[in-house]
Amino acid sequence: MRGVRSIGERASKAQSGYKIPKALFASLFLVLDAVLVTFIISYVPYTKIDWDAYISQVDGFLAGERDYTKLKGDTGPLVYPAGFLYVYSLIKFITGGQVFPAQILFGILYIVNLGIILVIYLKTEVLPWWALGLLCLSRRIHSIFMLRLFNDCFAMTLLHASLVLLLYQKWHLALIIFSGAVSIKMNVLLYAPPLFLLMLKGMSIKGVFLALLGAALLQILLGLPFLLSYPVAYISRAFNLGRVFIHFWSVNFKFVPESVFISKEFASALLVLHLTVLLMFAHFRWSKHEGGLFQLLNSRLSDALSKSLSIKKFLTLESRLIVLSKEHIITVMFVGNFIGVVFARSLHYQFYSWYFYSLPFLLWKTPFPTPVRLLLFAGVELCWNIYPSTFYSSILLLCIHLSILWGLWISPGEHPYIDKKTSQEREG
């Protein structure tokens, strides 16, 4: 008996020994990337794109303008929610509106974001230690952060922070941070459908309602100065889902003729494909354990009707139902966002930040051999570094996206739930 216990203790130590080097390698990658960030800021020339427009829009806001139709920059009118104005007002206060100190700030943001991402990967344990280095290898992502200063950087950092909170089952706070990310740029809403599905699986109806209420209240609070003054202008500009992008800047559909690219029929077809594939994954993949999406929705609705016949009963309900596995949470969130990216009407160069950090995770979730995974990763990076995009680069990118999506569809699924006892033991 004592010998068996000794073997068990040695096995436990071996497992612990495996985890420690992985965290150390993650830290090493973080330090090395920080050195690279310092080099980029010091020696690589800044590229002017949207920074001056951001500052012009912020100047109008700080001067007292609350009509969104009058907040403009040299690249056009303001099209982001109010959180963007608060963030860049703070950036202007810190940097004085100067580019170089802003680059330093974005360099720090890059490292913070990478640190958050590494936490997600260490918690989910999908990648081998060496593959974590892929997260530091994108030329385009370094450029988006330190040389372009796009608002996508802040939006995605907050989004990634909300994912970490989801891993720790902090649903309400995660929804607040998620809402904050949406207030900076609306692309974060691509994560909304998979997030809502996870909430239905992991929370009671009361928990879902309160979490969504908190997120909505934050949006109202941030937009209040504009909602009280010019509500129609604010809502129509900040949450415009019908924007038509310029064909020249499209990275993913440059091979489509411009007349087709700007047509409503093309936009409608992509939307139908997006929703169809999303529903397929939700029904056959993410809700398979519950008997499908409609069975999950029916069970939650029946449970709500049976337990919420009175306000008193509703208020006494528990917010949390069951603990979801970390791998399942990240899989659903990353795949759901990726589906939106695949069928996005147009991807501009800064939009690469929307899904780059999920690529290694997605590739290692597919059943493809590791050399194929690395080839697909390199292919995506290549397409995003061809400027301007071409007929062939955009076709190649779409083919790679569809290949990854197919790999995710045929991959074996992870178990979505863990019992509370196991969860407490792992956290301990």
Side-chain angles (χ1 to χ4, degrees), residues 180-409:
V182 172
S183 77
I184 298 174
K185 193 160 186 176
M186 277 209 309
N187 70 280
V188 177
L189 287 176
L190 291 177
Y191 282 93
L195 176 57
F196 183 66
L197 178 66
L198 290 173
M199 291 170 66
L200 289 176
K201 296 179 71 168
M203 305 176 75
S204 68
I205 293 298
K206 173 192 172 182
V208 172
F209 174 79
L210 292 179
L212 292 176
L213 179 62
L217 287 176
L218 179 64
Q219 289 296 324
I220 295 172
L221 181 63
L222 293 174
L224 199 59
F226 309 97
L227 291 171
L228 292 176
S229 304
Y230 300 93
V232 176
Y234 175 68
I235 295 173
S236 62
R237 289 296 181 94
F239 300 97
N240 181 9
L241 298 176
R243 291 172 60 199
V244 179
F245 293 99
I246 300 174
H247 182 256
F248 175 81
W249 293 108
S250 179
V251 180
N252 58 332
F253 284 121
K254 196 65 171 286
F255 64 91
V256 176
E258 186 171 4
S259 59
V260 176
F261 177 83
I262 63 175
S263 68
K264 292 183 178 180
E265 291 78 11
F266 183 63
S268 299
L270 288 174
L271 179 60
V272 170
L273 286 171
H274 178 193
L275 295 177
T276 300
V277 175
L278 200 60
L279 284 172
M280 288 175 63
F281 269 85
H283 181 72
F284 294 105
R285 301 283 303 176
W286 305 333
S287 304
K288 183 178 180 180
H289 184 81
E290 294 80 12
L293 176 62
F294 303 108
Q295 182 62 35
L296 172 64
L297 294 173
N298 181 63
S299 65
R300 290 293 179 265
L301 182 61
S302 300
D303 184 66
L305 292 175
S306 64
K307 294 181 180 180
S308 305
L309 296 178
S310 68
I311 295 178
K312 184 177 181 181
K313 285 185 178 181
F314 177 79
L315 293 175
T316 57
L317 290 175
E318 290 287 336
S319 291
R320 184 188 300 177
L321 285 178
I322 195 167
V323 179
L324 300 177
S325 73
K326 292 178 172 60
E327 184 178 345
H328 183 64
I329 290 172
I330 298 303
T331 298
V332 172
M333 291 294 282
F334 278 172
V335 175
N337 176 68
F338 183 67
I339 292 170
V341 168
V342 172
F343 298 106
R345 186 177 184 179
S346 182
L347 295 176
H348 292 186
Y349 285 96
Q350 65 268 34
F351 298 178
Y352 190 26
S353 62
W354 296 2
Y355 76 109
F356 165 76
Y357 287 106
S358 68
L359 271 179
F361 184 95
L362 296 174
L363 288 168
W364 259 260
K365 286 294 292 184
T366 68
F368 302 148
T370 296
V372 174
R373 293 166 176 160
L374 294 175
L375 185 63
L376 292 172
F377 181 86
V380 172
E381 180 68 16
L382 172 66
C383 292
W384 281 98
N385 281 283
I386 295 175
Y387 176 81
S389 60
T390 66
F391 180 94
Y392 297 105
S393 69
S394 61
I395 285 184
L396 177 60
L397 182 62
L398 179 61
C399 290
I400 294 174
H401 281 170
L402 292 175
S403 299
I404 296 173
L405 193 60
W406 172 248
L408 293 167
W409 176 256

Side-chain angles (χ1 to χ4, degrees), residues 41-82:
I41 295 174
S42 301
Y43 298 104
V44 181
Y46 154 79
T47 305
K48 176 185 174 182
I49 298 183
D50 282 346
W51 172 257
D52 289 345
Y54 291 169
I55 296 302
S56 296
Q57 293 160 355
V58 164
D59 285 340
F61 167 66
L62 294 177
E65 183 59 69
R66 298 296 179 263
D67 185 350
Y68 247 59
T69 62
K70 297 179 180 178
L71 292 173
K72 300 178 181 180
D74 56 8
T75 59
L78 176 59
V79 293
Y80 309 120

Side-chain angles (χ1 to χ4, degrees), residues 1-11:
M1 187 71 182
R2 187 174 298 173
V4 173
R5 184 180 300 173
S6 176
I7 293 173
E9 289 174 354
R10 286 198 297 270

Side-chain angles (χ1 to χ4, degrees), residues 169-188:
Q169 310 294 319
K170 305 297 183 183
W171 293 94
H172 299 280
L173 183 56
L175 262 290
I176 295 294
I177 303 300
F178 180 87
S179 183
V182 172
S183 77
I184 298 174
K185 193 160 186 176
M186 277 209 309
N187 70 280
V188 177

Side-chain angles (χ1 to χ4, degrees), residues 54 58 84-92 106 149-151:
Y54 291 169
V58 164
F84 161 83
L85 288 172
Y86 300 127
V87 168
Y88 275 82
S89 294
L90 180 61
I91 293 173
K92 183 182 180 183
F106 273 78
L149 314 179
F150 286 120
N151 61 327

